Amino acid sequence: MNAEILCVGTELLLGDIVNTNAAFLSRELARLGINVYHQTVVGDNSDRLKKSLKEALENNDIVITSGGLGPTYDDLTKETAAELLGLEMKFDEVSMKHIEEYFRKINCQMTLSIKKQAYIPDGAMAIKNDCGTAPGIYIEKNGKVLVLLPGPPREIEPMFLNYVSPLLQKFTGNTMFSRTVHLFDFGESKAETLLKDMMTTLKNPTVAPYAKDGEVLLRITAAAENKEKAEEMINPVIEQIKSIIGSENIYGTDVGNLQTALVQKLKEKHLKIATDESITGGLISKRITEVPGSSEVLECGVCSYSNRIKHEILGVSSETLEKYTGYSSQTALEMADGVRRISGADIGVSTTGIAGPGGGTDEKPVGLVYVGISTENYSFTKELHLSRGFSEERELIRYLASSHALYLALKCADEKF
Amino acid sequence: MNAEILCVGTELLLGDIVNTNAAFLSRELARLGINVYHQTVVGDNSDRLKKSLKEALENNDIVITSGGLGPTYDDLTKETAAELLGLEMKFDEVSMKHIEEYFRKINCQMTLSIKKQAYIPDGAMAIKNDCGTAPGIYIEKNGKVLVLLPGPPREIEPMFLNYVSPLLQKFTGNTMFSRTVHLFDFGESKAETLLKDMMTTLKNPTVAPYAKDGEVLLRITAAAENKEKAEEMINPVIEQIKSIIGSENIYGTDVGNLQTALVQKLKEKHLKIATDESITGGLISKRITEVPGSSEVLECGVCSYSNRIKHEILGVSSETLEKYTGYSSQTALEMADGVRRISGADIGVSTTGIAGPGGGTDEKPVGLVYVGISTENYSFTKELHLSRGFSEERELIRYLASSHALYLALKCADEKF
């Protein structure tokens, strides 16, 4: 089965928004075992939309569109599709009821134009929108499937997962199931070199690497008739990867991300953490508190951007700040100790360094970062050089610094308690 | 002039990465006054790539590709383009020198396969890559322009801005120039209703709204022969918008975002700020410290996730915490006061509330947030209800809470000092 994803919206062609829907739909179709060979974007223009829709239906079994289902004059996806397929538009009572319910739920006045959203092509099936007003539309005609979905990511994602995915599953029989092995601070090319044989020879399950900002994810995907069978195929491959890469370099399997892995580990061991962030400015505590339930493990975070605060609140000694500066291993260590002490947490973690663009010197260049870890019986710091020499890398340096801090805290929680 | 953007990469079709290149290129082409009616994505497959490239060249004056210029066997954009246009590949000495220099700069061993990147189609011009090894390629043939660019955003963005944009400018004569008016906490539909006449009647400059997570941006775009002429056309429209919307609802023009506007305002008034974050967990200080030079204005941030820390470090009274709970207006006020006092900052800002998914009650539901603002002579809190009833809205609630806090701090800095 082949599918094309056709996203409709002038805001995409102007670059006002990034096309996250195409990525989401592609990922979900891959999971269903449906091939996507093309993604296309067209604007809110009836002629060009009709041409693209026609070509997509000619070349594919399934076409999925996003966008252009709203109530305004430039929302014309379903009218264009109906015209192309020779279908009349008809009023759908059930969709109208859902729209009315939605407005009651969010306690808002319904505008008149909204009624346009309850019209669907004759013979089509309306798909309920749990997070908005425009219903999705499912059409099977001449052996082809056309699915029209709304544009906002918060509407399309639950609609696809809850209602569309089950409809499409009947075409593939098999489901795709994946598990993900997470590496941090382990070069992508090193992982690829070590696992090259596996990646090129294995067909089911497959092994694919995906690198992003310091992390390498290895995704092992099997096609099987159910999840249990898929897992039986995947698990030996994970064991093989562990034996090749070394399990000390793997921080988790299916753990989502570093902050989720850290929160899980802290909960498991009944530990509390506290952060003191200079260069990362709150990003570590922000990432930890992304995880629901993190209040059980995060005692306190401080963003001690000035030396005065480092000294007065965290207790970093004036001597250290004067002799070694705020950007030093010694300061990082005293920051981690300090925040652990004032908060009463089990683990203190700190960051200090130079994010740029200004503030770097030959001796202390942009990208120099110290991460500190402190527990009652064990403290250390790690010096990092995170600049890649690009012009706008402030946020990348801060993000990588926060990832290293989360990773080192995770290692510490795992090994020292 | 019409252009198509053709992005090449199986990782895009699998949804492993989001296509930020298409958004970037679209935005930059719009700025040059070049129309984009289509964006297409194809995988690393020679036949499908050739078909898409052929169609794109037939239907457009300019085609810009991203991706597939790397050193491995599945990078085949330039070879496919050369074949389609009937051009031989030739070795480019200058590109090879740049590649060698790049490896010296990042202090890495050059692999043999990298030499493939120095081959370009005969008659083409190589475009220097300042942030990577694969050169871009510029071809003019049969009245069409084909530009092949690398895939990584960190390579394509500086390459386009520094080298490609000047090459394309000759085709348009006019440049597009935009200014952006920023609204916060002012509904998109309200803005659209008030400005509908302007948006539909004005042709040059145009007025377009763009809404995202609590903010509405109004972009006024003029096509003119230079920046000065464009500004003369745009500025009266901005004045008109201010008189319709009310300037008290506009937090800035061309200010980038809330945190940048806040840091600028604090610098201008020589003020220091301190944050105490419960629900936002460090996101406010993270956003403030995104702005280069924010160390001048951010004194200290605290993430006081537990009541114990709210009491012991920030001085929120036990009575308040017991009587009103940690999620209350009273607590928010004492948090803002407390962090201002311990840090010695001019403005203290705080957040507390319930981000979910758990922890909500009938009386204190998920999405209930209090923002506190404290100065020496003036303190207040604002109660917000930020839930939209979606299932995965924890990060949205936290983001909106941080935006409200930044906005209220900005208003306070502007009006009370």
Side-chain angles (χ1 to χ4, degrees), chain A residues 58-72:
Chain A
E58 280 165 8
N59 297 324
N60 297 275
D61 309 301
I62 300 171
V63 175
I64 300 184
T65 73
S66 76
L69 299 184
T72 70

Side-chain angles (χ1 to χ4, degrees), chain A residues 18-153:
Chain A
V18 174
N19 195 351
T20 53
N21 286 345
F24 166 78
L25 292 169
S26 292
R27 211 161 44 231
E28 291 306 320
L29 290 168
R31 206 189 297 276
L32 289 166
I34 296 170
N35 296 315
V36 175
Y37 293 133
H38 266 102
Q39 298 166 353
T40 310
V41 177
V42 289
D44 302 308
N45 173 291
S46 182
D47 291 340
R48 281 190 288 271
L49 172 55
K50 200 191 281 180
K51 184 164 176 275
S52 295
L53 207 48
K54 187 163 176 284
E55 280 174 16
L57 283 166
E58 280 165 8
N59 297 324
N60 297 275
D61 309 301
I62 300 171
V63 175
I64 300 184
T65 73
S66 76
L69 299 184
T72 70
Y73 67 95
D74 64 348
D75 289 307
L76 24 84
T77 305
K78 63 187 175 185
E79 292 78 5
T80 306
E83 206 185 309
L84 181 69
L85 298 173
L87 304 171
E88 295 288 315
M89 296 298 283
K90 62 154 201 201
F91 186 71
D92 186 53
E93 295 286 353
V94 178
S95 295
M96 195 64 219
K97 279 222 177 77
H98 287 150
I99 294 171
E100 284 164 358
E101 264 167 34
Y102 182 83
F103 274 92
R104 265 198 301 277
K105 196 172 103 186
I106 64 166
N107 208 2
C108 260
Q109 191 73 36
M110 210 165 75
T111 53
L112 267 179
S113 61
I114 216 86
K115 208 178 161 186
K116 172 173 179 287
Q117 297 191 316
Y119 281 84
I120 67 170
D122 199 10
M125 186 176 85
I127 307 169
K128 193 172 170 233
N129 188 338
D130 293 324
C131 301
T133 55
I137 286 162
Y138 181 93
I139 308 173
E140 279 191 39
K141 206 183 169 198
N142 309 329
K144 305 277 181 173
V145 174
L146 176 60
V147 187
L148 312 180
L149 300 175

Side-chain angles (χ1 to χ4, degrees), chain A residues 94-366:
Chain A
V94 178
S95 295
M96 195 64 219
K97 279 222 177 77
H98 287 150
I99 294 171
E100 284 164 358
E101 264 167 34
Y102 182 83
F103 274 92
R104 265 198 301 277
K105 196 172 103 186
I106 64 166
N107 208 2
C108 260
Q109 191 73 36
M110 210 165 75
T111 53
L112 267 179
S113 61
I114 216 86
K115 208 178 161 186
K116 172 173 179 287
Q117 297 191 316
Y119 281 84
I120 67 170
D122 199 10
M125 186 176 85
I127 307 169
K128 193 172 170 233
N129 188 338
D130 293 324
C131 301
T133 55
I137 286 162
Y138 181 93
I139 308 173
E140 279 191 39
K141 206 183 169 198
N142 309 329
K144 305 277 181 173
V145 174
L146 176 60
V147 187
L148 312 180
L149 300 175
R154 283 182 204 116
E155 300 181 22
I156 195 172
E157 296 188 4
M159 186 184 283
F160 189 93
L161 296 174
N162 296 331
Y163 304 120
V164 181
S165 184
L167 287 169
L168 297 181
Q169 206 152 359
K170 70 175 176 192
F171 297 110
T172 63
N174 271 343
T175 7
M176 306 294 272
F177 184 75
S178 292
R179 295 199 65 190
T180 305
V181 173
H182 299 255
L183 313 181
F184 182 73
D185 203 20
F186 192 93
E188 182 190 20
S189 58
K190 194 170 152 198
E192 280 200 39
T193 308
L194 287 171
L195 300 171
K196 200 177 174 189
D197 279 354
M198 261 184 136
M199 291 192 228
T200 49
T201 56
L202 288 183
K203 296 299 170 209
N204 188 20
T206 56
V207 178
Y210 171 42
K212 205 191 156 210
D213 296 340
E215 300 201 40
V216 177
L217 310 184
L218 298 168
R219 194 169 55 184
I220 304 99
T221 306
E225 56 187 289
N226 60 43
K227 193 178 155 178
E228 289 64 37
K229 294 239 163 96
E231 279 189 331
E232 275 172 33
M233 295 158 74
I234 289 172
N235 291 342
V237 177
I238 293 184
E239 290 311 310
Q240 212 181 329
I241 290 174
K242 284 185 181 166
S243 75
I244 296 172
I245 295 279
S247 44
E248 69 280 9
N249 296 306
I250 293 171
Y251 76 78
T253 303
D254 299 329
V255 283
N257 51 37
L258 279 167
Q259 54 268 34
T260 307
L262 174 60
V263 170
Q264 271 176 13
K265 181 62 72 185
L266 293 170
K267 276 189 184 173
E268 196 185 303
K269 298 216 169 181
H270 305 288
L271 297 172
K272 300 226 175 202
I273 195 166
T275 61
D276 182 9
E277 308 185 51
S278 181
I279 186 171
T280 49
L283 181 52
I284 302 173
S285 60
K286 188 262 171 185
R287 288 177 68 182
I288 292 174
T289 57
E290 269 175 25
V291 184
S294 45
S295 55
E296 275 180 49
V297 302
L298 182 71
E299 197 56 18
C300 160
V302 177
C303 161
S304 61
Y305 227 52
S306 72
N307 275 354
R308 191 170 68 74
I309 298 295
K310 287 186 183 81
H311 174 60
E312 285 179 16
I313 299 188
L314 280 309
V316 177
S317 77
S318 310
E319 203 191 348
T320 299
L321 290 169
E322 258 169 50
K323 193 164 168 194
Y324 301 106
T325 82
Y327 314 128
S328 63
S329 166
Q330 290 81 357
T331 296
L333 202 62
E334 291 186 30
M335 286 170 69
D337 280 343
V339 80
R340 181 177 60 77
R341 225 175 29 242
I342 64 168
S343 67
D346 303 289
I347 301 175
V349 53
S350 68
T351 58
T352 185
I354 301 128
T361 62
D362 280 354
E363 209 186 328
K364 306 242 175 193
V366 167

Side-chain angles (χ1 to χ4, degrees), chain B residues 2 22 94 254:
Chain B
N2 296 342
V94 178
D254 299 328

Side-chain angles (χ1 to χ4, degrees), chain A residues 12-13 16 26-27 38-39 41 52 154 210 213 281 285-286 289-290 299 301 303 308 343 390 394 398, chain B residues 12-13 15-16 26 38-39 41 52 154 213 219 281 285-286 289-290 299 301 303 308 343 394 398:
Chain A
L12 289 165
L13 293 180
D16 279 341
S26 292
R27 211 161 44 231
H38 266 102
Q39 298 166 353
V41 177
S52 295
R154 283 182 204 116
Y210 171 42
D213 296 340
S285 60
K286 188 262 171 185
T289 57
E290 269 175 25
E299 197 56 18
C303 161
R308 191 170 68 74
S343 67
F390 306 142
R394 181 179 172 87
R398 283 158 39 96
Chain B
L12 290 164
L13 293 181
D16 279 341
S26 291
H38 266 101
Q39 297 166 354
V41 177
S52 296
R154 285 180 204 119
D213 296 340
R219 193 171 55 185
S285 62
K286 188 264 174 186
T289 57
E290 268 174 25
E299 196 58 18
C303 162
R308 191 169 70 71
S343 67
R394 181 180 173 87
R398 283 158 39 95

